[in-house]
Amino acid sequence: MKTLTVLLLLSAFIATPALAADSYQIAKKIPIPGQGGWDYLAVDDAARRLYVSHGTKVEILNLDSGELLGSLATVGVHGIAIAPELGRGFISDGKASKVLAFDLKSMKVLQEIASPKDPDAILYDPATSRVFAFNGDSNNATVIDAASGKVAGTIDLGGGPEFAAADGEGYVFDNLEDQSLVVKINSRTLKIEQRWPTGPCTSPSSMAIDRTNRRLFIGCRSKVMAVINADTGAVIQTLPIGDHVDASVFDPETRNIFNSNGEGTITVIHQESPDKYSLLETVKTLPRAKTMTLDPKTHQLFLSTAEAGKFEVLVVGK
């Protein structure tokens, strides 16, 4: 009996480090000089670059080493979208009410494109080669031809937009936070085709998409993440997450969904099947680390925050 007890205790002791090693945690902190707030981050996987919004600049880092490669000046940046096949990137300069187009190689601004007040979330739609800038204070979206920089149109959203996602087949989805709705936009006609309530998930702030299985993952300020069918708008499942979510990302290889919360946590949810999801773990980060992006190659997460008044990027991985 004593031998069995010892073996069980040894087995538990040996298993504990294995479980810890398989959990997500802060692997590194990248300090970035200067003061100022922050918003979205973006990854250029092919070029191995990380774009970080930082007050009046976009900081450009080597994605693998964390080396600071340069920066782009803005009046007040919100987000960054990458069009790799065109060699262009786009910045929503909210305080200037402009979208800045820049060259991915030279890291130089090419154009300044006027937009209604407060362009905030921004994305590139590969199906139409268009950029969608969602104007937070104007309840609309500016649509830009990515190759020429010319404005293709403006979409009246009927509510305050938050984050968005493109399905790669000609549709763009956007949260209307004040309406607790998701809108489905035809990115070719620039018409809203559907408005879907997010159900018990209220004040939707973040969004990610599983393009293969046609599932939207909506993070809400009501401390819930909703899984929504991207074709019908049906709410398939809701799961609890942390407080003050501001970003969600989906890793198609691991089938994990990550929700970064301003309280200083990441809620990790696993996709067991397109219609079944389970809570995997809650990862401790730092307070105000609420914006996030994913490197699909290394499966690491990058989050912005400030610690003791110093700005930094957190690298989270296994």
Side-chain angles (χ1 to χ4, degrees):
M1 185 68 178
K2 286 182 179 179
T3 304
L4 179 60
T5 303
V6 170
L7 287 172
L8 286 171
L9 287 171
L10 283 172
S11 174
F13 179 76
I14 293 166
T16 300
L19 286 171
D22 200 42
S23 298
Y24 291 91
Q25 56 192 309
I26 297 175
K28 184 168 63 173
K29 298 177 181 179
I30 305 171
I32 298 178
Q35 302 297 314
W38 58 90
D39 208 342
Y40 300 114
L41 308 91
V43 160
D44 183 347
D45 178 35
R48 306 305 295 160
R49 286 182 176 178
L50 173 67
Y51 295 86
V52 182
S53 64
H54 183 202
T56 58
K57 292 187 292 185
V58 174
E59 312 279 12
I60 306 170
L61 281 67
N62 181 297
L63 189 56
D64 298 305
S65 68
E67 176 191 0
L68 186 60
L69 303 175
S71 63
L72 290 160
T74 72
V75 178
V77 57
H78 278 298
I80 307 99
I82 307 298
E85 66 269 31
L86 299 175
R88 285 185 153 211
F90 297 84
I91 299 165
S92 54
D93 192 345
K95 288 190 177 179
S97 294
K98 292 179 180 178
V99 172
L100 309 180
F102 66 95
D103 183 89
L104 294 180
K105 290 183 179 179
S106 69
M107 298 184 286
K108 302 293 184 185
V109 173
L110 302 171
Q111 290 172 281
E112 296 186 0
I113 305 154
S115 183
K117 190 177 180 182
D118 192 31
D120 191 341
I122 189 168
L123 67 78
Y124 173 67
D125 173 41
T128 58
S129 295
R130 286 172 166 174
V131 174
F132 288 71
F134 294 89
N135 306 305
D137 289 343
S138 306
N139 292 357
N140 58 24
T142 304
V143 185
I144 300 163
D145 177 80
S148 67
K150 294 181 178 178
V151 175
T154 302
I155 305 169
D156 182 9
L157 299 170
E162 263 294 337
F163 207 65
D167 68 356
E169 297 180 10
Y171 286 97
V172 168
F173 304 86
D174 182 63
N175 291 323
L176 299 185
E177 187 175 21
D178 58 344
Q179 306 287 319
S180 292
L181 295 174
V182 170
V183 292
K184 182 178 181 179
I185 303 166
N186 186 314
S187 59
R188 294 185 174 89
T189 65
L190 306 187
K191 302 293 184 184
I192 294 175
E193 294 192 359
Q194 300 288 340
R195 294 178 181 271
W196 296 323
T198 53
C201 186
T202 58
S203 299
S205 177
S206 61
M207 181 185 294
I209 188 169
D210 173 0
R211 290 180 173 178
T212 301
N213 293 305
R214 309 287 299 163
R215 296 294 183 264
L216 299 173
F217 308 117
I218 311 293
C220 291
R221 294 289 170 85
S222 56
K223 301 182 186 180
V224 168
M225 188 197 86
V227 181
I228 293 179
N229 185 307
D231 295 314
T232 67
V235 177
I236 294 165
Q237 188 177 344
T238 59
L239 299 101
I241 60 173
D243 188 29
H244 205 81
V245 63
D246 210 35
S248 300
V249 296
F250 173 65
D251 186 336
E253 190 170 321
T254 64
R255 302 203 317 277
N256 289 335
I257 307 113
F258 305 88
N259 297 272
S260 54
N261 312 301
E263 68 180 14
T265 63
I266 300 172
T267 307
V268 188
I269 293 167
H270 184 65
Q271 182 188 63
E272 298 179 28
S273 73
D275 292 341
K276 186 179 180 182
Y277 299 79
S278 60
L279 180 64
L280 191 62
E281 64 175 313
T282 300
V283 183
K284 186 177 180 181
T285 56
L286 286 172
R288 299 190 293 161
K290 63 187 179 71
T291 52
M292 173 180 60
T293 192
L294 170 77
D295 176 6
K297 179 182 177 182
T298 65
H299 308 286
Q300 290 183 317
L301 302 162
F302 296 82
L303 304 91
S304 298
T305 192
E307 193 174 8
K310 296 182 179 179
F311 182 65
E312 62 188 6
V313 171
L314 307 180
V315 185
V316 173
K318 288 190 174 182

